[in-house]
Amino acid sequence: AQRVTQPEKLLSVFKGAPVELKCNYSYSGSPELFWYVQYSRQRLQLLLRHISRESIKGFTADLNKGETSFHLKKPFAQEEDSAMYYCALRRAGGGADGLTFGKGTHLIIQP
Amino acid sequence: EPEVTQTPSHQVTQMGQEVILRCVPISNHLYFYWYRQILGQKVEFLVSFYNNEISEKSEIFDDQFSVERPDGSNFTLKIRSTKLEDSAMYFCASRGAGQDNEQFFGPGTRLTVL
């Protein structure tokens, strides 16, 4: 069985401070990891995935297979980063597979 | 930019009634999904659909649930006899061909079972 754990339900940081949203996973095979974001009153949208190794909106995430983690980081938070963030997993190469989501972290950036 | 659409945005029904939730995926997409999110809980995968058949389903997707692509554009989720615990936000998603293509989500339908 696969599981995604996001230990923080709520994370509040000040504008300009660094942000780290934690994600740990449990999966016996080779995973693909994703971060989805949901801004207020908007739909879930893909922020980034580990295979593309991109930085999107200043966010990065590195897959650490040893620690089974995929933490999302941004060096300087902006107010528009306030949103719900969901870490998700699927089987590597499992293009048709459904995603397994964590419970989400509500990120609040204070001015 | 094309988007996944879902109707209705909110559905209220009595326990035991049948409901059909509708989704229009992005037009050239080939893979379709339903997820649900009970209030305060995680988004949970229900079912994936490809080439006119279910390709994967979760334990939640029992005999009460069915999916259909009746006309080549709509993708529906039917719940035969709703229970109180079916109250949730239901999200549809679609994906194009290719392993790396992302899933695009609809805005969701809030189902309330009374």
Side-chain angles (χ1 to χ4, degrees):
Chain A
Q2 48 207 37
R3 186 183 299 134
V4 176
T5 303
Q6 293 179 251
E8 303 131 334
K9 215 170 177 175
L10 174 67
L11 184 63
S12 179
V13 302
F14 285 102
K15 179 180 161 183
V19 171
E20 183 179 46
L21 289 87
K22 292 188 169 38
C23 172
N24 288 89
Y25 67 90
S26 170
Y27 182 56
S28 56
S30 186
E32 281 186 43
L33 274 297
F34 306 83
W35 276 100
Y36 278 79
V37 61
Q38 188 172 29
Y39 300 103
S40 179
R41 295 192 180 83
Q42 294 188 28
R43 61 190 68 202
L44 269 168
Q45 55 188 282
L46 180 67
L47 180 62
L48 52 80
R49 56 187 132 189
H50 90 270
I51 56 171
S52 55
R53 296 184 154 271
E54 297 171 296
S55 172
I56 305 290
K57 300 185 178 184
F59 285 97
T60 58
D62 290 315
L63 179 60
N64 185 325
K65 290 189 177 180
E67 295 182 0
T68 59
S69 68
F70 188 57
H71 303 327
L72 183 68
K73 299 177 185 177
K74 183 168 182 175
F76 306 105
Q78 297 169 294
E79 287 184 69
E80 53 264 34
D81 296 329
S82 295
M84 279 296 294
Y85 290 80
Y86 296 94
C87 184
L89 172 156
R90 75 166 181 220
R91 173 176 63 94
D97 292 2
L99 295 164
T100 297
F101 283 89
K103 286 190 174 183
T105 298
H106 187 186
L107 177 64
I108 296 174
I109 308 301
Q110 299 194 51
Chain B
E1 189 177 324
E3 289 185 328
V4 176
T5 59
Q6 290 185 242
T7 54
S9 56
H10 191 188
Q11 172 99 41
V12 181
T13 191
Q14 295 289 326
M15 192 168 57
Q17 294 296 304
E18 175 184 285
V19 294
I20 297 176
L21 309 183
R22 299 181 197 280
C23 169
V24 179
I26 294 172
S27 65
N28 61 345
H29 282 186
L30 300 177
Y31 299 87
F32 314 110
Y33 307 83
W34 283 102
Y35 294 83
R36 80 169 184 194
Q37 185 176 29
I38 295 170
L39 188 64
Q41 298 188 27
K42 63 175 72 176
V43 176
E44 299 173 291
F45 167 71
L46 294 178
V47 65
S48 61
F49 192 86
Y50 170 70
N51 201 24
N52 280 319
E53 60 183 26
I54 290 173
S55 50
E56 188 193 9
K57 59 183 181 179
S58 71
E59 295 171 349
I60 303 166
F61 194 87
D62 61 20
D63 292 343
Q64 293 279 73
F65 292 92
S66 62
V67 288
E68 198 177 31
R69 190 155 157 80
D71 56 13
S73 61
N74 289 285
F75 178 52
T76 61
L77 175 70
K78 183 194 289 187
I79 309 175
R80 262 180 267 286
S81 176
T82 50
K83 305 187 279 274
L84 294 175
E85 53 266 36
D86 293 327
S87 294
M89 197 75 170
Y90 287 81
F91 295 104
C92 173
S94 71
R95 189 180 80 82
Q99 289 293 338
D100 293 343
N101 280 348
E102 68 179 272
Q103 292 182 28
F104 288 85
F105 282 78
T109 293
R110 178 164 299 287
L111 176 64
T112 302
V113 183
L114 302 176

